[in-house]
Amino acid sequence: MTGNTLAIIILAAGQGTRMRSRLPKVLHEIGGRPLVGHVLTTAQRLGADHVEVVVRHERDQVVSALAHDYPDAVFIDQDEIPGTGRAVQVAVDALPDEFDGDVLVLSGDCPLADADTLRAFLEAHRAGQAGATLMTAVVDDPTGYGRVIRDESGGVDRIVEQKDASADEAAVREINAGMYVFRVGVLREYLPTVGVDNAQSEMYLTDVPGMLRRDGSPVAASVVTDVTVTYGVNDRAQLAEVGRLLNQRIVRRWQLEGVTVIDPATTWIDDDATLAPDVTILPNTHILRATKIAEGAIIGPDTTLVDCEVGEDAIVRRSDATLAVIGAEATVGPFSFLRPNTVLGARGKIGAYVETKNAEIGEGSKVPHLSYVGDATIGRGVNLGASTITANYDDVHKHRTVVEDEVHTGSHTTLVAPVRLGAGAKTGAGAVVRKDVPAGSLSMSIAPQRNIEGWVEKNRAGTGAADAAARSRVAE
Ligand code: UD1
Ligand code: CA
């Protein structure tokens, strides 16, 4: 619908000096995504006709970090002329000439402005007649922000940057949040006339509202009550603070969806994770990336899940898992480490101090204690005895171990891959299995046990062991 179409311009060309980082500021992550990724995700939710990201500092790194996840975004290069005004100008120039809608300007370092807030902001703009609408907030400490200067009748007169403000202007506590809607014609008309005659020798986007007013056109302001939506990240302290606020929001969202979170302060849930009703999250637990947790599962305490899938009523405690699938009613932990491509079947068990990798463990199968299972296919109803180890690596290649249904291995079995244990086979304690074991066989590696009597007293005279042996001999 002409006149009502939307372009979103996201400013991300700045260096972010105060981060003191090799990584461009907008690529620092909170909630499992770069700062600017949150802004792009919000832009997607708003359904704009054009989404442009203005880049310059480390532009290749920024573009390659985002291009895959946001294929609809267009990256626009800012030239050597500095300032937010120039950034918006190059983006507006890249819009099609026939575009005549509204332009929503956002900052790549302000990730907390959510879609609902911005939708209301757009509606407020569209309901009025102004050529520009600013988002503003009244804050206790306006340091660092542009101040919104109002006229006698209470309308917006102009924005003054902190570095250009008089003492009276600096005392104003209504700040420019750095988010705006402009009719595109306003930007096309006024940006070419914005100069660099200011304390920072930059083209300020914030000059445009004042210019509009000088020409007698109204400028509207939309004052947000929740000031956190305006928070930007300029340094690492703000990165942590904004990350905490985002997490608080995410945790609260899941609580309202029926998830029990015992300790929100130590529970970290990424924006892409999904949790079903009646999931319980115990303290100090990280649910990261696209992890999916089904109904009734209990996770934690002290657990990290990255890109995992957890089935209904499963229990995962004090463990660390990446790219693992944990079946319904399965149990994991404490103190286990599930590496990528671990698939634990329904009602299966990975117990204490177990490491798995690239391992498929069938329904109802158990790896209860102290094992390493790597590059393995384990059937159903299998029990790997304590300390069963797959020796999957011969210094050159990784090899696969196949354990068929209902196999039970004795404690401390070493499975030297490639090797296959047929259905129902058993191994004795300490077996080193180098050859395939036929179904239903017992495999043992027996070296006859030899006891050399008196060896300790003879060879270790004077030790506690020798004394104890001597006493026990006398007592006999
Ligand atoms: C800006 C506003 C200020 C407002 C504040 C809100 C201006 C002149 N000032 O100040 O009124 O209160 O945001 O957070 O606009 N950027 C570019 N190209 C540039 C310069 C900046 O793309 O040449 C990008 C940055 O990467 C950043 C955003 O624009 O994402 C804002 O720039 P920044 O330097 O952080 O502006 P502030 O000083 O915070
Ligand atoms: Ca800023």
Side-chain angles (χ1 to χ4, degrees):
M1 176 172 37
T2 303
N4 229 11
T5 49
L6 179 66
I8 297 180
I9 297 174
I10 300 171
L11 306 186
Q15 186 171 356
T17 322
R18 282 167 287 175
M19 294 297 281
R20 298 178 175 274
S21 178
R22 285 178 299 188
L23 192 67
K25 173 169 77 175
V26 293
L27 294 187
H28 280 261
E29 288 193 4
I30 58 171
R33 232 189 243 137
L35 293 171
V36 63
H38 289 279
V39 184
L40 275 158
T41 300
T42 304
Q44 275 178 342
R45 288 178 184 151
L46 291 172
D49 306 289
H50 304 277
V51 175
E52 298 181 326
V53 183
V54 184
V55 291
R56 178 169 168 83
H57 176 71
E58 300 285 4
R59 64 91 59 199
D60 291 345
Q61 202 182 343
V62 174
V63 172
S64 66
L66 301 172
H68 176 265
D69 288 343
Y70 303 97
D72 296 336
V74 176
F75 295 90
I76 309 290
D77 288 292
Q78 188 174 350
D79 55 17
E80 62 293 333
I81 301 171
T84 49
R86 183 58 173 178
V88 171
Q89 189 181 16
V90 294
V92 168
D93 286 348
L95 289 171
D97 289 343
E98 60 275 17
F99 177 81
D100 72 343
D102 291 315
V103 177
L104 172 63
V105 177
L106 303 173
S107 276
D109 61 353
C110 292
L112 296 181
D114 56 292
D116 286 346
T117 299
L118 293 176
R119 236 176 251 124
F121 180 49
L122 276 168
E123 275 163 26
H125 170 79
R126 286 173 175 167
Q129 299 303 314
T133 302
L134 323 176
M135 185 186 291
T136 76
V138 178
V139 298
D140 293 334
D141 177 11
T143 308
Y145 288 98
R147 310 299 204 276
V148 178
I149 309 300
R150 296 198 176 241
D151 58 27
E152 317 76 62
S153 58
V156 172
D157 187 62
R158 63 192 194 284
I159 299 170
V160 180
E161 290 305 301
Q162 155 123 0
K163 288 183 176 148
D164 303 286
S166 66
D168 280 356
E169 288 165 341
V172 170
R173 293 194 300 120
E174 183 177 11
I175 58 108
N176 165 33
M179 291 174 256
Y180 323 77
V181 201
F182 295 96
R183 301 203 195 290
V184 70
V186 165
L187 295 172
R188 287 187 177 131
E189 183 180 347
Y190 287 92
L191 282 173
T193 68
V194 170
V196 294
D197 183 17
N198 53 54
Q200 304 185 79
S201 302
E202 291 183 355
M203 274 179 72
Y204 289 168
L205 177 62
T206 48
D207 281 355
V208 173
M211 294 170 128
L212 260 182
R213 290 290 290 126
R214 293 299 86 71
D215 286 350
S217 312
V219 173
S222 180
V223 188
V224 293
T225 45
D226 175 5
V227 300
T228 65
V229 303
T230 70
Y231 284 5
V233 173
N234 293 308
D235 58 35
R236 308 241 188 180
Q238 290 170 333
L239 181 71
E241 176 62 7
V242 166
R244 190 182 63 79
L245 288 164
L246 176 70
N247 187 60
Q248 232 170 41
R249 253 194 223 169
I250 295 171
V251 167
R252 194 170 162 70
R253 185 173 91 217
W254 290 117
Q255 287 176 316
L256 297 181
E257 296 280 332
V259 173
T260 294
V261 177
I262 304 291
D263 183 18
T266 63
T267 298
W268 292 85
I269 305 177
D270 278 353
D271 208 27
D272 278 342
T274 50
L275 292 78
D278 285 322
V279 164
T280 299
I281 310 292
L282 301 173
N284 198 25
T285 290
H286 298 65
I287 312 289
L288 305 183
R289 304 282 168 182
T291 293
K292 252 189 152 130
I293 303 178
E295 215 167 283
I298 302 173
I299 314 294
D302 309 324
T303 293
T304 299
L305 303 178
V306 184
D307 280 319
C308 289
E309 214 178 290
V310 180
E312 279 182 28
D313 299 313
I315 297 173
V316 183
R317 48 184 183 133
R318 294 189 206 279
S319 289
D320 186 309
T322 298
L323 284 166
V325 177
I326 296 163
E329 294 173 54
T331 64
V332 173
F335 310 111
S336 282
F337 183 34
L338 281 57
R339 293 165 52 203
N341 299 321
T342 294
V343 180
L344 176 62
R347 293 176 304 285
K349 174 175 181 166
I350 290 175
Y353 304 101
V354 174
E355 176 174 337
T356 60
K357 181 212 75 171
N358 204 5
E360 207 180 299
I361 299 168
E363 266 182 49
S365 288
K366 295 182 173 155
V367 189
H369 336 267
L370 299 158
S371 283
Y372 172 62
V373 182
D375 302 310
T377 305
I378 313 289
R380 298 173 177 220
V382 169
N383 192 320
L384 299 185
S387 188
T388 293
I389 301 287
T390 54
N392 59 325
Y393 185 44
D394 61 10
D395 266 352
V396 185
H397 297 108
K398 302 276 169 73
H399 298 283
R400 203 148 183 96
T401 298
V402 178
V403 176
E404 295 180 356
D405 295 350
E406 299 293 336
V407 165
H408 289 194
T409 61
S411 297
H412 217 301
T413 292
T414 303
L415 302 170
V416 183
V419 74
R420 170 184 289 267
L421 278 66
K426 295 189 190 302
T427 67
V432 178
V433 182
R434 298 174 187 280
K435 293 182 291 191
D436 289 358
V437 179
S441 311
L442 170 64
S443 172
M444 294 185 291
S445 318
I446 296 178
Q449 178 172 331
R450 199 152 72 94
N451 299 336
I452 304 172
E453 297 206 1
W455 189 95
V456 172
E457 280 166 86
K458 199 164 140 205
N459 295 284
R460 296 288 182 270
T463 65
D467 294 347
R471 280 197 303 275
S472 116
R473 193 161 38 71
V474 170
E476 266 168 16

